Amino acid sequence: MRNASHLTPQIERWGLQNAGFDYDIVAVFGSQSTGKSTLLNRLCGTNFDVMDETRRQQTTKGIWMCRGKGMNVMVMDVEGTDGRERGEDQDFERKSALFSLASSEVLIVNLWEHQVGLYQGANMGLLKTVFEVNLGLFGKKSADGRSQRTLLLFVIRDHIGTTPLANLQATLTADMNKIWGSLSKPPELNDRQLSDYFDLSFAALPHKILVPDKFEAGVQDLRKRFTDKSREDYVFKPMYHKRIPADGVAFYMENIWEQVQSNKDLDLPTQQELLAQFRCDEIATVALSEFNEQAKPQRKPIESGKVVEGLGNMMRSWKAGALARYDRDASRYHQGVYKRKRADLISVIDSTISPLFLGQLKNLHKACLVSFKKEMVDGMRGDSYDFAEIVKTARTRCEKRFLEGAKEASLEDTDWSYEEEFTLLSEEVKNVADQCRKDETKKMVNVIERNFKRNISEPVDLYLNKATPDMWDKVLKAFRETLEKAESSYLTKAKSFSCTDEENATALSTLRKRAWLALRSKIDEQTSDAAFLAKLRTHFEELFRYDEHGVPRVWKPEDDIDGAFKKAKDRTLELIPLYSKISPIEPSLAYTLPSETSDSLSAEADDFDFPSTLLIFSETKAVDLTNRFRKDADAYYVEAKRSTVATMAQ
Ligand code: GDP
Ligand code: MG
C-alpha cells in the first residue's frame, strides 16, 4: 500500500462500513519469506501473494490489506521488512510499524524457531523500532485515562518440538524486556514497563513442508484464537481496540499513511479529532439531507397560508430522526467533536424549521381571527342575543385554538416563542369586538331614537293644541319622561355590551341630543305658519264666535261687537309670545343639554347650539304672524258686522 486513497471504497466493498466498533485489525511483521502471507491466508482465508517457490523472488514491498473470510477482521500483510543493512528498509520498517500500531489490535511477529534467542537478529531490530514508535504514539495516557494496549503475538514457525514452547516463550520474553530496557525513553516515561503497553502471547507451528498435516492442525488451532470470543486466549480483546469506528477507518488510515509517508509527526489524538470532524460532518450532512427531504413538502402549504395539522409532531419526528441518525454513527467518535457537531446540527435543523413554525403561527393567527369574526356575525344574527356573551365565547374559543396550535408547533429545547403573535391576535380580536360593539350600540341608539319619536309625538300634539300657560311645562314633562324611558332602555341593553363608561356617556349624550331634536321637529310641525295661524284662528273663533257657554253667538245690533272683537283679538295675540319660546313656568323643568363635545355617534351635534333651539319664533316672525292673524281676524269682524246688518234687514 503506497497510496491509501482506495481504502474507503474497499472497506465498503468488504461490507464493514456499518460495523461500528465490531471489527478488528491484525497486522503481521517478520523477515522476508518466513511464510507470513502463507500464514495469514491459512488463518483468515485471505489471498495475499505467496512467493512462488520455483522462482524465489521477493514480492513487492508494501502493506496489503484484506478482509478475513467470514470474520469482521481486516488483515494487514506487511511485506519486505528485512535487510536491515539497507537504511531505506529501516525507514520503511519504521513507517509500517507506525501505521500498524496506530490501527491494529494485534501485531503478529512471525519468526523461525531458529531465530529465537538471536538477540541481534533482524527481528529484534524490528521490535525495537516497534517499541520506540509505540512510546511516541501511546506514551502518554489517552484522554479517557487508559493507556493504549496492543497484543504482540509471536508465531514461531517450523517448530521442531525439541525445545518446548514454554522455553522459547521465556527466552523471547526476556529478550523483549532487554530490548525495552535498552530503549532511550523520554524522562517522564522512564519508569514505564513493557507490560504497560503490550501483552505478549505465543504460538508455535510445525514445519509446513515436513509435517503438513500437523502444520494444518496447528493453524486451525491458532485460528480459533482469532474467531472464538469465549476462549480465554482470544486475541481481539476489547482493550486492544483502537476505537476507530469502521466507517471512519479508511479516512483515518489514509491520513495516517499520508502523515507517515511525509515523515510528519504522527499525533494520534489530533488524528482522531480530525477524523471525528470529518466523519461527524459527513454523518451530519447525511442526516440533514434526509431531514430536508422530509421537511420540504410542508414548506409550500405553509407558505400558501395553510395551517398544517400536526406540524409540531412532524417536526419533532424529523428532528428526532435526524439526531438519532447522527447519534448512531457519530457518537462513536471523539466526544468533544461529536457533541460540538451535534449542537451545530441542532441549530441548523432548528433554523431550517423555524420558518415553518413562524409561518404556522401566522396562518393560525389568520384562521383564528377569521373564525372569530364569523362566530361574531353568526351569533348576532338573531334578535335576542347577549352581545357580551357572544364576544366572550368567541374570544375564548379563538384564543384557545391559537394557543393549542401554537403549543403543538413549538419544539422543546428551542428559543421559539408564540407570545408575540398571541398578543397581536388578542389585540386584533379586541379591535374586532370593539368595532362590533360600536356598530351594535349605534344600531341600538337608532332603534331607541325611533321609539322615542313615536312616543313623544302624541303628547306634543295634545299639549300644543291647547294653548294653556303651562303648555311648555306639560310638553317638557312628557319629554323628560319619554327620554328617561329611552335612557333606561339604553342602559339595560348596553349592560350586555360591556360598553365602557365613556362609550355609555357618549351614547347617552347622543341620545339626548337626538331626542331633543326630535321634540324640536315635532314642535316645528305644530308651529309651522299654517298650523300656527290655524291655531290662532281657532282660538280667536272660540272667543269671538262662541259665548262663555260655548254657544254660537248671533250678533244683534245692540251687541258690543267692537268690544268682543278687541277682547278676542288681544287674547289670541297673547298666544304668539307663549308659543314663540319654549319656556316653562316651573323653572326646574327648563331642559338643558349637557355640554358633551366628544360625540362620536352623532355628527350633527358638532355645531349644535342648544339655547337657539329654545326659540320658536323670532321677533320679525312674530310681527309677521301678528299681521297675518290680524287680517284673518278682521275678516271675522267684517263677517260679524255683516250678519247684524242682514238680521236688521229682515
Ligand atoms: P512471506 O514473504 O513471509 O510472506 O512468505 P511467503 O508466505 O510468501 O512464503 C515464502 C515461502 O515459504 C513460500 O515458498 C512458502 O511455501 C514457504 N513457507 C510458507 N510457510 C512455511 C512454513 O511454515 N515453513 C516453511 N519451511 N516454509 C514455509
Ligand atoms: Mg508475503
Side-chain angles (χ1 to χ4, degrees):
M1 178 167 66
R2 280 289 154 87
N3 177 340
S5 62
H6 50 274
L7 209 49
T8 305
Q10 194 59 257
I11 286 175
E12 262 173 65
R13 221 170 301 140
W14 289 338
L16 290 177
Q17 190 71 6
N18 293 318
F21 293 130
D22 188 19
Y23 75 97
D24 302 292
I25 302 183
V26 55
V28 71
F29 273 84
S31 312
Q32 270 177 36
S33 304
T34 44
K36 297 188 297 294
S37 300
T38 305
L39 172 68
L40 293 179
N41 290 346
R42 303 298 307 133
L43 268 182
C44 305
T46 50
N47 52 358
F48 293 113
D49 277 354
V50 171
M51 194 181 77
D52 185 341
E53 275 166 75
T54 55
R55 275 189 285 152
R56 281 268 151 199
Q57 159 201 9
Q58 196 201 320
T59 47
T60 331
K61 192 172 74 180
I63 298 176
W64 299 88
M65 280 190 77
C66 264
R67 183 191 169 165
K69 206 172 181 182
M71 39 166 85
N72 279 4
V73 175
M74 283 184 251
V75 186
M76 288 201 286
D77 187 8
V78 185
E79 288 198 333
T81 51
D82 207 354
R84 299 199 39 86
E85 58 280 2
R86 298 218 305 274
E88 173 208 352
D89 283 335
Q90 280 182 41
D91 182 49
F92 175 75
E93 201 168 74
R94 205 187 127 71
K95 285 174 177 168
S96 20
L98 266 169
F99 183 69
S100 309
L101 273 172
S103 53
S104 307
E105 299 153 72
V106 177
L107 285 189
I108 296 179
V109 182
N110 190 58
L111 72 171
W112 302 121
E113 185 185 0
H114 60 74
Q115 285 180 301
V116 176
L118 295 180
Y119 178 60
Q120 300 303 330
N123 272 313
M124 301 305 133
L126 165 72
L127 284 162
K128 191 171 180 195
T129 307
V130 168
F131 292 164
E132 276 169 359
V133 161
N134 186 80
L135 267 186
L137 282 183
F138 305 119
K140 293 174 214 94
K141 283 187 175 176
S142 63
D144 53 9
R146 51 183 202 128
S147 42
Q148 186 65 60
R149 298 185 74 77
T150 306
L151 178 69
L152 287 180
L153 174 60
F154 290 86
V155 178
I156 298 154
R157 308 293 292 270
D158 288 0
H159 182 226
I160 302 164
T162 43
T163 315
L165 179 59
N167 290 11
L168 299 169
Q169 189 170 324
T171 309
L172 282 170
T173 308
D175 284 353
M176 291 310 109
N177 283 314
K178 246 183 264 168
I179 296 171
W180 184 263
S182 74
L183 291 185
S184 53
K185 299 180 222 29
E188 71 272 18
L189 299 175
N190 228 350
D191 56 346
R192 296 292 168 91
Q193 301 299 307
L194 175 68
S195 57
D196 288 336
Y197 302 101
F198 291 101
D199 286 329
L200 307 183
S201 189
F202 304 87
L205 289 174
H207 200 293
K208 177 176 179 281
I209 315 291
L210 298 180
V211 280
D213 291 352
K214 284 190 179 156
F215 171 79
E216 194 55 37
V219 169
Q220 287 316 313
D221 211 36
L222 185 55
R223 182 181 155 85
K224 283 184 195 131
R225 296 186 55 186
F226 284 77
T227 52
D228 188 353
K229 286 186 187 169
S230 63
R231 283 175 71 117
E232 215 208 307
D233 55 0
Y234 177 63
V235 294
F236 296 122
K237 296 217 167 69
M239 62 178 161
Y240 303 137
H241 207 285
K242 297 298 180 286
R243 310 299 293 172
I244 308 298
D247 58 350
V249 151
F251 178 88
Y252 177 75
M253 284 188 166
E254 281 168 21
N255 264 12
I256 290 201
W257 186 247
E258 204 182 284
Q259 292 284 109
V260 166
Q261 280 300 84
S262 52
N263 284 316
K264 286 186 195 139
D265 274 351
L266 189 56
D267 172 19
L268 286 190
T270 306
Q271 287 303 318
Q272 295 203 359
E273 229 178 287
L274 283 175
L275 167 69
Q277 280 169 17
F278 176 78
R279 279 300 298 152
C280 290
D281 276 342
E282 272 191 344
I283 295 163
T285 305
V286 171
L288 203 58
S289 81
E290 280 178 10
F291 166 84
N292 279 328
E293 280 307 305
Q294 293 173 310
K296 213 165 129 197
Q298 299 308 331
R299 220 167 281 164
K300 267 238 171 69
I302 294 278
E303 277 164 13
S304 69
K306 224 181 136 245
V307 175
V308 174
E309 210 55 54
L311 179 73
N313 263 340
M314 281 188 232
M315 295 195 293
R316 262 183 285 280
S317 111
W318 306 333
K319 182 174 175 179
L323 287 179
R325 179 87 173 73
Y326 175 81
D327 288 345
R328 190 191 73 193
D329 293 338
S331 61
R332 298 193 188 105
Y333 287 95
H334 184 281
Q335 286 302 296
V337 176
Y338 154 70
K339 282 180 186 144
R340 205 165 60 235
K341 299 279 177 188
R342 190 180 200 272
D344 291 351
L345 177 62
I346 289 175
S347 84
V348 173
I349 286 176
D350 287 350
S351 65
T352 307
I353 44 178
S354 129
L356 292 184
F357 168 73
L358 293 174
Q360 176 93 332
L361 286 191
K362 219 166 38 185
N363 301 341
L364 200 57
H365 172 149
K366 258 188 254 161
C368 290
L369 195 64
V370 165
S371 37
F372 173 75
K373 283 181 187 161
K374 191 176 177 301
E375 203 172 327
M376 291 289 298
V377 170
D378 289 350
M380 299 186 328
R381 198 154 273 163
D383 276 337
S384 63
Y385 52 82
D386 184 334
F387 181 83
E389 197 55 40
I390 291 170
V391 175
K392 203 176 131 201
T393 317
R395 173 191 287 146
T396 310
R397 210 192 310 278
C398 169
E399 294 184 343
K400 185 164 169 265
R401 180 175 166 205
F402 179 86
L403 286 175
E404 275 173 6
K407 269 181 203 140
E408 200 281 331
S410 298
L411 255 57
E412 302 69 25
D413 306 321
T414 58
D415 56 0
W416 298 357
S417 150
Y418 49 79
E419 290 303 321
E420 207 178 317
E421 196 74 42
F422 181 67
T423 311
L424 275 177
L425 175 66
S426 300
E427 273 165 20
E428 280 172 49
V429 160
K430 190 180 171 300
N431 288 344
V432 170
D434 281 353
Q435 192 53 50
C436 281
R437 193 179 60 212
K438 275 181 191 149
D439 292 349
E440 280 301 287
T441 312
K442 240 185 232 175
K443 257 200 282 180
M444 185 174 80
V445 169
N446 287 342
V447 169
I448 294 173
E449 185 193 355
R450 262 204 307 281
N451 284 338
F452 176 85
K453 274 183 185 161
R454 233 191 343 265
N455 294 340
I456 199 69
S457 174
E458 215 182 282
V460 172
D461 280 350
L462 182 71
Y463 299 136
L464 289 192
N465 273 324
K466 255 182 127 188
T468 58
D470 65 347
M471 171 183 85
W472 291 117
D473 295 66
K474 285 175 181 153
V475 167
L476 286 177
K477 223 186 224 159
F479 171 77
R480 195 162 268 195
E481 278 163 17
T482 317
L483 181 59
E484 262 163 26
K485 265 184 216 145
E487 284 183 13
S488 84
S489 132
Y490 168 83
L491 286 172
T492 319
K493 288 186 181 153
K495 224 180 254 170
S496 89
F497 284 35
S498 16
C499 292
T500 61
D501 288 349
E502 196 194 323
E503 278 168 338
N504 280 337
T506 309
L508 283 176
S509 134
T510 302
L511 191 61
R512 281 171 200 142
K513 277 168 199 166
R514 293 215 198 143
W516 180 256
L517 288 173
L519 171 75
R520 202 43 192 77
S521 87
K522 192 66 210 168
I523 293 173
D524 281 347
E525 226 174 75
Q526 285 288 335
T527 57
S528 71
D529 287 8
F532 186 61
L533 283 172
K535 267 195 213 355
L536 293 181
R537 265 198 310 274
T538 313
H539 195 79
F540 174 80
E541 266 188 296
E542 263 165 29
L543 291 171
F544 185 57
R545 294 177 62 178
Y546 298 88
D547 65 15
E548 49 270 31
H549 309 294
V551 179
R553 277 190 173 121
V554 178
W555 297 108
K556 282 172 243 121
E558 64 273 17
D559 286 341
D560 178 15
I561 297 182
D562 288 13
F565 170 72
K566 193 177 178 308
K567 195 176 157 204
K569 190 173 78 178
D570 289 347
R571 286 199 34 204
T572 302
L573 282 174
E574 281 165 15
L575 294 189
I576 295 180
L578 176 65
Y579 276 90
S580 75
K581 196 167 187 291
I582 303 174
S583 50
I585 299 168
E586 169 59 46
S588 71
L589 283 172
Y591 181 73
T592 41
L593 280 173
S595 56
E596 187 78 52
T597 46
S598 66
D599 189 347
S600 56
L601 284 172
S602 65
E604 75 262 30
D606 284 350
D607 41 28
F608 183 71
D609 175 22
F610 177 71
S612 76
T613 62
L614 291 172
L615 195 71
I616 312 290
F617 304 139
S618 64
E619 286 292 331
T620 348
K621 186 82 189 165
V623 172
D624 175 49
L625 286 167
T626 307
N627 290 336
R628 285 167 72 180
F629 167 69
R630 275 185 208 282
K631 274 181 200 140
D632 286 348
D634 287 353
Y636 281 105
Y637 174 80
V638 171
E639 192 202 85
K641 277 283 189 193
R642 267 201 202 120
S643 72
T644 49
V645 173
T647 316
M648 289 189 313
Q650 275 169 359

